[in-house]
Amino acid sequence: MRFSRIDIKNYRQYKELSFNFSNNGKHDLHIIVADNGIGKTNLLNAITWCLYNEEPHLGSTSNSLTKLNTKVREEHLAAQQPNATVRVTLYAEDGADKLIFQRKMNVKVKSNFEEKSELIIKKINKAMPDARILSGEDAAVFVDRYMPRRLKKYFYFDGEQLDRYFISEKNLDIKQSVHTISQVETLTRVKNNLNNIIKTRRMEAAKHSPDIQGIIGDIDNLDSNIHDLTKAIQNIESEIQKSQSVIKLNTERLSGQPDINKLQNEQRRLLDKKIRLELEEQNAYNELFSFLERMNVSLYFYDYAKKVLAIIKEKRDQNALPPNVDKSMLKAILKDNNKVCPICGQYLTDDAISYIETVLSKIKVSSETSNLLMFICNEMEATIESAKSYKNNKDKKIRVLSNVQKDLEQCGNDLQKVSDDIGGIADANQLKQWYDEIKRHQGILGINQQKIAGKKIALSNETNKMKILEDKRDKAIEQQQELKKINSQIVFLKKAIDIIESVEKEMMDEVRKEMEISTMNYFNDLMWKKGVYNHISLDDDYRLELYHNNGDSCLGSCSAAERSLLALAFTLALHEVSGFDALLFIDTPVARVSGENRQNFANVLKKVSEHKQLIMAFTPDEYSSNISDIFTPIAADMPVRLKMNQTNDITSI
Amino acid sequence: MREEMNMNDAKKGPDRLNITRKARNIITRVDQEKYFGLQINNTSRSELILFMMALGISAKTPTRLENTYPEALILENSITSRTISFMYALFIGILEDEDIDKITQKELVYDMAQQYANTGFEILEDEMNKMTDKKLMWNVIQELDNKYDELFPD
């Protein structure tokens, strides 16, 4: 099937626009060129909206806008028209049949409320005068037959969304898609129908025997459990595969890169250590300051302390310290004109006075002086000792400071080195992201592996029980004479299912092998690096792996450009191997491919367009001479160039 | 002992240690810059003035107080016994062979302590203007090493 025309009305940037895709019989190739933001991707969205009521390629700007063109809305508001219609019509040809797919949607202009859209399909055949019209569920089923929804990303290829193409949660999608596209699905449907027939036969058998009915009831319950467990296991397996893929991909990306997490942890540790050491250094300085203040006093007062202690010793030797006579009292007695003894109250004789004068001359120190000297004596003795200890204590304290400063200097150097290492990493944030992704998925993986182990044990138990019950059931059926016929039918059907399953597997294996070869061939043709990659492999779950000539798997270390070409190669292989006759619409196909490498790309697609309709949307930069020199001469129409009006709300040709 | 001394001295004279306005500014600066650990929350005023006296002794010159700050730096009740001991030791050291009983003249003792402390403040200001406390530390160590060698030549 090929598209011959697309009409778009009031949809996003498109007010009223038609694209015609003629067929020159040689190369069914059509080119659209437009700057970013003009509407290339929304053309793709228009097609998927028409067919599937989905817009999987919306950018952030479009996401916030409704489908109705803003200019049209303004015009309707001004003209007080309450409703506007958004409509996309696809005209297609399938042999002698002409098909018209049209989706319409009414929009309440004032509130921008979008009513439910409706798809109508008209099928016109020259042999039949009346067109066949399908709508609703019938239309959806019809679309799914020609362009299955599950496979839409293989018809409409967004060149900018490729980085995650091979993340494994998509594997099962790919497997199911291949299942559909290679018509193996038909066999699966037959197998399911046969299983249903077997079920019916058994239920019939059960009617004849209540025992069998009971067993079948148990089997049904078990079957439901097994189904739930199987589904749960599949889901967990998918999660496990995804985690393993992410871990593998990021590990390959990080191979040879510095461990940014380790470096940052080390940096934090060293910063903490530096702060702690700086505090220790300040404490060591404070200790030294206090010490030097005390020592300054001890050393500069040393001589004074010695003099004081010498005086005290001298006075002690003279028995003048402590004084046993109160010098001041004796002086007071002599001064007193009455000459009376203050103790006994008697008048003092001349002899007595003379005696007092003699004693007074002998007393050298007053009691107050004596008290003062005794008061300061201990401090002076301590000062002498302190001064003597200066050198030892000083050395100890300086050593403490010196050690801390050495540690601080070393810490500073280590910190500088780590900071330089981190600074030297080209994209530290990206590396950190990859590390964090690995760690996160390792956690998830651990949990899922535990979960799945439990589920598998449970499944094994239920399966064993099932086998026992099935044997019991079959024996019960065998034993009943009247059930012999039903039994032989069941046996026959089982054999048929076995055959179908082995054919199914063979077909899938064959398709898989053809896909591997075809993908590799396309990839080699597209790639600028020749002779580097050896082969690709698809495992049973359609996980793609690319192998270098040296035998190593290397998908994770491919550049974005190589991955996008691989994804394109895979898609082309899928179309080729399946024989599915559908167009391929590629939006910004060479977003990540530069310069001369685009020539390979153009040559490969030139060949593809000989047997398949290709519609490609480029930016002007992408549609460089390496591509346009090859495409423009062979294209079925002149390249369509889109432009935006001055108010940036309408795209036209 | 100290109470007895105080009761006697209360009749006899000074009960505080004074400083100049200039010294008051130096102290404010020391507190702000936390210079050499001499700020108020690390070194008491009593220890501070003792240290200043020692600096004054190293210069061997007392400096008379001029332009005295109206508030005393420290009252007698707050002066530690250690500081008081050194105040008297300083006075005795200066006395030469004079009458030892002169140490009972409190105003002379306090006056001498204030003058030597005043010299110490001048020295401190000079150092603060020239260098950081960490650099000063190494100069002080050098000086004390020399003093130690002078006192204990063996």
Side-chain angles (χ1 to χ4, degrees), chain A residues 293 368-369 383 390 394, chain B residues 12 36 86 101 134 145 149:
Chain A
E293 282 155 32
E368 193 186 337
T369 303
T383 298
Y390 164 71
K394 175 203 78 168
Chain B
K12 288 198 217 169
F36 211 74
F86 281 109
D101 284 325
K134 290 183 174 99
D145 283 353
D149 290 340

Side-chain angles (χ1 to χ4, degrees), chain A residues 630-641:
Chain A
I630 296 171
F631 280 167
T632 306
I634 60 157
D637 322 284
M638 285 301 290
V640 170
R641 291 189 187 266

Side-chain angles (χ1 to χ4, degrees), chain A residues 84 112 132 182 206 211 293 314 356 385 439 454 493 509 546 558:
Chain A
N112 249 335
R132 189 177 153 212
S182 59
D211 286 341
E293 282 155 32
E314 188 197 325
I356 288 169
E385 291 309 309
K439 221 173 168 130
L493 287 166
D509 284 348
L546 176 66
C558 285

Side-chain angles (χ1 to χ4, degrees), chain B residues 6-70:
Chain B
N6 285 345
M7 277 177 67
N8 289 334
D9 294 344
K11 301 170 198 163
K12 288 198 217 169
D15 61 352
R16 59 196 64 201
L17 286 170
N18 292 307
I19 51 173
T20 61
R21 283 184 191 273
K22 191 176 178 191
R24 180 64 249 177
N25 291 339
I26 293 166
I27 291 171
T28 303
R29 199 175 144 196
V30 161
D31 285 343
Q32 281 168 355
E33 294 175 23
K34 295 188 169 63
Y35 193 83
F36 211 74
L38 292 170
Q39 69 276 11
I40 182 71
N41 62 358
N42 193 55
T43 302
S44 68
R45 294 302 193 214
S46 184
E47 288 294 316
L48 174 65
I49 208 151
L50 176 57
F51 182 55
M52 291 303 119
M53 281 162 52
L55 284 185
I57 287 171
S58 72
K60 297 176 182 157
T61 324
T63 308
R64 292 183 68 81
L65 268 66
E66 284 169 7
N67 203 6
T68 308
Y69 191 71

Side-chain angles (χ1 to χ4, degrees), chain A residues 285 289 292-293 296 300-302 304 307 311 327 366 368-369 372 376 383 387-388 390-391 394, chain B residues 5 12 36 38 51 55 57-58 82 85-86 92-93 96 101 104 134 137 141 144-145 148-149 152:
Chain A
Y285 269 118
F289 290 158
L292 291 172
E293 282 155 32
N296 208 43
Y300 280 104
F301 272 97
Y302 181 84
Y304 297 89
K307 184 173 177 183
I311 291 171
K327 192 174 170 183
S366 75
E368 193 186 337
T369 303
L372 281 168
I376 69 177
T383 298
K388 287 177 185 170
Y390 164 71
K391 271 262 160 95
K394 175 203 78 168
Chain B
M5 279 167 58
K12 288 198 217 169
F36 211 74
L38 292 170
F51 182 55
L55 284 185
I57 287 171
S58 72
R82 179 174 140 88
S85 300
F86 281 109
I92 291 169
E96 299 289 340
D101 284 325
T104 57
K134 290 183 174 99
M137 181 190 82
I141 288 173
L144 292 182
D145 283 353
Y148 181 89
D149 290 340
F152 308 103

Side-chain angles (χ1 to χ4, degrees), chain A residues 431-648:
Chain A
L431 290 187
K432 182 128 179 37
Q433 214 179 327
W434 289 338
Y435 272 113
D436 290 344
E437 274 284 291
I438 288 175
K439 221 173 168 130
R440 191 169 69 85
H441 276 274
Q442 277 169 342
I444 295 171
L445 186 64
I447 292 169
N448 281 334
Q449 279 168 339
Q450 275 187 345
K451 266 193 210 169
I452 207 175
K455 296 268 181 220
K456 280 182 174 171
I457 291 171
L459 179 64
S460 172
N461 290 340
E462 298 293 86
T463 309
N464 288 339
K465 280 186 207 167
M466 177 69 103
K467 188 147 189 348
I468 293 168
L469 277 176
E470 281 174 343
D471 285 345
K472 201 171 164 187
R473 174 203 62 200
D474 291 343
K475 275 197 181 99
I477 291 174
E478 272 174 38
Q479 279 160 10
Q480 304 263 352
Q481 284 290 334
E482 53 268 39
L483 299 172
K484 260 195 179 147
K485 189 178 170 192
I486 294 173
N487 195 41
S488 68
Q489 283 172 349
I490 290 172
V491 165
F492 174 78
L493 287 166
K494 274 179 164 176
K495 280 189 182 147
I497 286 172
D498 286 343
I499 293 170
I500 289 171
E501 273 176 352
S502 73
V503 171
E504 220 179 21
K505 186 173 184 319
E506 248 180 68
M507 280 178 73
M508 285 294 284
D509 284 348
E510 205 178 300
V511 165
R512 214 173 65 240
K513 287 217 171 353
E514 283 182 36
M515 282 288 305
E516 286 172 352
I517 295 168
S518 183
T519 303
M520 197 62 210
N521 287 341
Y522 274 119
F523 186 53
N524 277 333
D525 288 342
L526 287 165
M527 271 295 288
W528 60 93
K529 276 194 243 175
K530 302 294 180 192
V532 171
Y533 299 108
N534 188 275
H535 69 281
I536 67 138
S537 73
L538 296 169
D539 67 11
D540 285 349
D541 289 321
Y542 275 76
R543 275 181 293 196
L544 186 143
E545 199 47 80
L546 176 66
Y547 290 89
H548 198 272
N549 274 337
N550 64 14
D552 293 336
S553 79
C554 57
L555 182 60
S557 50
C558 285
S559 66
E562 286 167 327
R563 275 205 299 281
S564 64
L565 290 180
L566 186 57
L568 178 59
F570 184 85
T571 302
L572 292 172
L574 198 61
H575 278 252
E576 182 183 279
V577 167
S578 68
F580 218 88
D581 180 24
L583 88 150
L584 188 53
F585 187 121
I586 311 179
D587 185 17
T588 54
V590 290
R592 297 175 197 270
V593 180
S594 58
E596 299 165 10
N597 307 319
R598 293 178 176 181
Q599 241 172 324
N600 285 342
F601 164 84
N603 282 326
V604 169
L605 287 178
K606 175 181 167 184
K607 213 157 160 43
V608 170
S609 70
E610 286 171 5
H611 52 267
K612 183 176 277 300
Q613 185 182 28
L614 289 183
I615 303 173
M616 286 187 282
F618 295 92
T619 60
D621 286 342
E622 278 188 301
Y623 201 57
S624 53
S625 58
N626 337 67
I627 295 194
S628 61
D629 286 351
I630 296 171
F631 280 167
T632 306
I634 60 157
D637 322 284
M638 285 301 290
V640 170
R641 291 189 187 266
L642 298 178
K643 62 177 194 250
M644 207 131 206
N645 66 351
Q646 277 189 343
T647 44
N648 289 331

